[in-house]
Amino acid sequence: MTGGGKSRKGERSERSVEPREPAVSPPTVRSYLFLLLWCAAVTVLLHTSMLFKPHSEGDELAYFALSQRMGWDLSNYTTKDDPRVNTFPYTIYRNPVFHHPPLLPLVLKAGAQFTANPLLQFTRTPPRSRGGASADYVTAAPVAAAFLLNVAVTVAALWYVCRLLVLCNIGPHYGATALVGITLCPLLLFSTVRIHHDGLAGLLLLCGFIAFAESLERRTIIPAIEASFWLVAPRLR
């Protein structure tokens, strides 16, 4: 009896001196702060090429021509009478109403009025190109505005991905793959260094879906309001 009691006490003492594994705290947005800032800085650097190259591709010129012709109340929202766009082989550009929502044209139109933008010191005008109302390239001020929009939406997407990773309890060691992947994705960069709506719309939807998922998981109203903003924004792009 005494021997059995001693053996039990010995087992308890051995268990008590066994080292316990340290508890791993769940990830927070703060734990992603350095990685988020690094990815945001790289995003800005990668998008600066947008300021130094001419923008005269078909879609870019169509959006620019639309921003010049349309009113602030979205009147005359068409490119059917613009000679620069009428040379395109696609009849969709000659419809009475342009086929994409107005967010990007409105940003270009607003940017054309903001001639005090400091980014204009870096933008370049293509040589031997027409200027004025019949310019065959997107002028500097709208390009600077589009640059700010694309960078802001991309950085916002990185922020929301951080929130999704925290929601899924994924730490920075593994979550870094997602953030760096978005930052360096060649398909995304191909679109967001141009005046295109494709990559922009995808990032806006990504922000909206993450905010909606967070609202459902945490049962709070603020992410739901954020989701409504981001999910409606693509319909304005």
Side-chain angles (χ1 to χ4, degrees):
M1 187 74 176
T2 305
K6 289 182 179 179
S7 63
R8 292 192 190 96
K9 288 180 181 178
E11 289 176 1
R12 292 195 194 101
S13 62
E14 287 178 2
R15 292 191 192 121
S16 63
V17 298
E18 287 179 358
R20 295 181 179 179
E21 294 183 1
V24 179
S25 59
T28 63
V29 174
R30 182 174 295 182
S31 62
Y32 278 96
L33 183 59
F34 175 78
L35 187 58
L36 174 63
L37 293 176
W38 184 87
C39 289
V42 173
T43 295
V44 174
L45 289 175
L46 291 177
H47 283 78
T48 51
S49 63
M50 185 175 181
L51 299 172
F52 297 101
K53 66 178 184 179
H55 295 272
S56 55
E57 295 181 4
D59 284 345
E60 295 179 314
L61 194 57
Y63 276 117
F64 178 55
L66 178 63
S67 70
Q68 289 181 307
R69 302 181 65 85
M70 63 183 277
W72 288 108
D73 58 352
L74 304 185
S75 59
N76 197 31
Y77 193 70
T78 180
T79 56
K80 66 183 181 69
D81 297 322
D82 192 283
R84 296 166 293 182
V85 180
N86 282 338
T87 59
F88 295 170
Y90 308 108
T91 58
I92 194 171
Y93 292 105
R94 293 186 280 280
N95 288 340
V97 178
F98 195 73
H99 55 285
H100 283 306
L103 175 61
L104 200 49
L106 283 173
V107 169
L108 297 179
K109 191 173 186 66
Q113 309 300 317
F114 185 38
T115 56
N117 192 333
L119 293 175
L120 297 180
Q121 300 177 13
F122 304 101
T123 54
R124 295 180 179 178
T125 300
R128 297 185 298 277
S129 299
R130 296 195 309 271
S134 61
D136 55 356
Y137 62 93
V138 184
T139 54
V143 169
F147 166 81
L148 293 175
L149 175 66
N150 290 356
V151 168
V153 172
T154 305
V155 173
L158 292 171
W159 162 251
Y160 275 92
V161 168
C162 288
R163 289 167 56 172
L164 177 63
L165 294 169
V166 171
L167 191 66
C168 297
N169 201 27
I170 300 174
H173 289 90
Y174 299 102
T177 305
L179 292 175
V180 174
I182 292 175
T183 303
L184 303 179
C185 176
L187 291 178
L188 188 60
L189 282 171
F190 178 85
S191 179
T192 55
V193 297
R194 291 169 171 79
I195 304 175
H196 286 178
H197 72 275
D198 306 273
L200 199 62
L203 293 173
L204 292 170
L205 290 172
L206 175 66
C207 295
F209 286 137
I210 293 175
F212 184 65
E214 189 175 22
S215 175
L216 292 177
E217 181 67 22
R218 304 194 188 280
R219 299 183 181 278
T220 54
I221 189 64
I222 299 301
I225 296 173
E226 296 176 36
S228 64
F229 169 79
W230 292 110
L231 293 175
V232 169
R235 304 312 308 158
L236 300 174
R237 73 192 192 286

